[in-house]
Amino acid sequence: MNGNYWSWERFSEAFPYVLEGLTTTVGVTISTFIFAMIFGFVWLFLRRIPLRPVNWTVTWIMEFIRSTPPIIQLFFLYNAWPVVPYVGVTLSPFACAVIGLGVHFSTYIGEIYRSGIESVGKGQWEASTALNLSLSDKWRHIILPQAIPPTIPMLGNYFIILFKEVPITATISVQGILYMANTFGSQNWAYIEALTIVGLILLVLSYPSAVLIRKLEVKMNTRFDKNAEIKEINKGVTS
Amino acid sequence: MNPITDIAPQLFRGFGTTVTILIASAIFSYIMAFIAGLCRLSKNTFLRKFTGLYIEIFRGTSLIVQLFWLYYAIPILFDIDLPSNWIIGVIAIGLNYGAYLSEVVRGSILSIAPGQSEAATALNMSSFQRMRFVIFPQAIRMMMPEFGNYTIQMLKGTALVSLIGLRDVFYYGDIMRSTNLAHAPLIYVVVLIFYFILALPLIFLTRKAESIAKKGVAN
């Protein structure tokens, strides 16, 4: 009976309570993203091994992790990992969230790294070989300076996607905003108000960042898009 | 515990729920995507702004929050007793991915070279004919790979409906786990494989769509 209408009073009561979870949600997001960015390199290196069976296996493992629900992967780490023979240890909810979502997102981030490296023109590789550059010089001065900038907006996009995915960790009792909202909701029978606050917080934080990244994307495209350069040159010729 | 004779039959009890939710929400989201995508391109400012609001709200928050929110809000908003949770799951997933897909629809239509619609106008086609015979057939093949990708995301999203009390594959897996703690890793792995088998046809269809989208396009 009590919960069947909207109440601004409960809304303002719930607000500070839900907001308490924000540090956890943001903290989990940042830690998970750092983990995923590091783990992404593992996939990158594994996929660069020039052996057909290895390449094939790695590709399908990545596909498996990417196309199965992250919530089940989290439950696996939280509920099942402690009973895995030999390597099983009990993990804190925070560790489960970081490892589970981190590995899930690392498969996407590994692909971003790969696309960055592949975007460097073939001529650049050949030129660095022709100039007799050492392996480290080639990567440090030729390939990476060109491969990294176009990946930055893509990584930003995945950071926002991750931020919106982090609320599912409430199911393994990571005390972020959604967990706090559910607790408040069950104590006061005020789910709507509390959940609306969660939605508002997510929206307020993710929308401006998305706009920012869209701008960054446009900037990077005009800076690194080869066609844009050609268009620029042609403009000069015709006018 | 044998994964094929002991675990799989249990999980199969939730198979119907997972698959029907996936199919229904996929169809619903495709319809939403075309409606919202076309409204975003409309000349009517109100329609454009209103659809933009819908898209930003659903893209800016997460599926699990929308699912819970609708679960509690729908009975209040429409003043009805709890309708079946199945419907709520379909509405939440459909609205969420409809918002994402509408941007795909919009982007593909905008990416068609302006010369195409100018030519159609020069041929004295009505705006409906222009869309139906010139723009759409070209735009739709560019949309297909993204539709495939988002359908895989939707499959992943369906696992969340067990949180609002629906008995899908994940639900039965989790119930089994709680009574067979020692076998938990095996049970979860079988559940994951279940979802992966469901995803496989979608993965192959997406790859196929990618090759169709690339074929015969001058670039």
Side-chain angles (χ1 to χ4, degrees), chain B residues 45-181:
Chain B
T45 319
F46 171 76
L47 206 59
R48 228 171 35 230
K49 289 264 151 67
F50 181 76
T51 329
L53 189 69
Y54 152 68
I55 293 170
E56 294 308 342
I57 286 175
F58 277 85
R59 276 168 25 121
T61 58
S62 48
L63 177 59
I64 186 171
V65 178
Q66 292 155 19
L67 191 69
F68 283 159
W69 195 87
L70 290 171
Y71 178 68
Y72 293 109
I74 283 183
I76 297 173
L77 285 176
F78 299 103
D79 199 24
I80 38 175
D81 270 346
L82 210 63
S84 83
N85 293 347
W86 187 89
I87 297 275
I88 291 173
V90 170
I91 291 174
I93 299 172
L95 286 178
N96 182 280
Y97 286 100
Y100 283 97
L101 283 169
S102 72
E103 291 287 278
V104 174
V105 172
R106 189 177 74 103
S108 315
I109 289 175
L110 284 178
S111 73
I112 301 301
Q116 296 287 327
S117 79
E118 283 162 14
T121 315
L123 289 169
N124 201 21
M125 284 182 170
S126 70
S127 65
F128 174 78
Q129 284 174 319
R130 196 167 64 207
M131 192 51 105
R132 165 76 182 78
F133 296 108
V134 180
I135 312 282
F136 225 71
Q138 298 180 66
I140 207 150
R141 16 189 274 178
M142 297 197 325
M143 297 171 199
M144 272 161 38
E146 284 299 300
F147 271 67
N149 277 328
Y150 278 110
T151 313
I152 298 171
Q153 300 291 325
M154 271 181 242
L155 172 66
K156 283 157 63 176
T158 59
L160 296 176
V161 297
S162 60
L163 299 174
I164 57 165
L166 277 167
R167 298 172 174 200
D168 66 342
V169 174
F170 178 40
Y171 171 86
Y172 283 107
D174 213 41
I175 290 290
M176 260 197 107
R177 188 266 314 171
S178 58
T179 49
N180 303 281
L181 284 177

Side-chain angles (χ1 to χ4, degrees), chain A residues 153 208-222:
Chain A
S209 344
V211 173
L212 201 75
I213 280 163
R214 249 174 261 166
K215 283 210 177 112
L216 196 68
E217 211 160 11
V218 173
K219 203 175 147 193
M220 291 288 175
N221 273 341
T222 44

Side-chain angles (χ1 to χ4, degrees), chain A residues 3 63-64 66-69 72 75-76 79-80 83 104 108 164 191-192 195-196 199 202-203 206-207 214, chain B residues 56 59-62 68-69 72-73 76 100 153 156 159 163 170 174 177 181 185 188 192 195-196 203 207:
Chain A
E63 199 70 75
F64 183 84
R66 212 181 330 179
S67 46
T68 49
I72 305 178
F75 270 57
F76 177 84
N79 292 323
V83 281
H104 189 90
Y108 291 100
K164 288 181 289 183
Y191 284 103
I192 300 264
L195 286 168
T196 308
L202 288 171
L203 201 60
S206 74
Y207 184 65
R214 249 174 261 166
Chain B
E56 294 308 342
R59 276 168 25 121
T61 58
S62 48
F68 283 159
W69 195 87
Y72 293 109
I76 297 173
Y100 283 97
Q153 300 291 325
K156 283 157 63 176
L163 299 174
F170 178 40
D174 213 41
R177 188 266 314 171
L181 284 177
Y188 279 128
L192 286 170
Y195 278 94
F196 188 58
I203 292 170
R207 287 187 185 171

